[in-house]
Amino acid sequence: MQSDEDQEACMKLTRLSGTCYDGTCPTLYRSETGTLVVQGRILATSDVTPPEGEALVEIAPELEADLLKQING
């Protein structure tokens, strides 16, 4: 488990998938530690309550399609 100090450090992300580059579109990144990071709309309400420090993020269908297209060539 990471300490609060580790979580506050700026993590380098590499863009893997997404259809635009202006920072407002759903995007999938690989972090410098090898984890995947998704950018999407945070769900304000749902029937699931995530633990403190986490959020539920909606992944747009076009991000999934773009990623599958890259994987399948």
Side-chain angles (χ1 to χ4, degrees), residues 8-61:
E8 291 177 12
C10 183
M11 183 179 288
K12 181 177 176 1
L13 301 177
T14 302
R15 183 184 168 283
L16 297 178
S17 182
T19 56
C20 70
Y21 294 87
D22 67 1
T24 62
C25 298
T27 307
L28 182 66
Y29 300 94
R30 169 116 20 230
S31 76
E32 62 189 336
T33 61
T35 60
L36 294 175
V37 177
V38 65
Q39 175 183 322
R41 188 174 66 98
I42 295 175
L43 295 179
T45 60
S46 78
D47 61 345
V48 175
T49 303
E52 187 175 333
E54 295 184 5
L56 299 174
V57 178
E58 187 173 32
I59 300 172

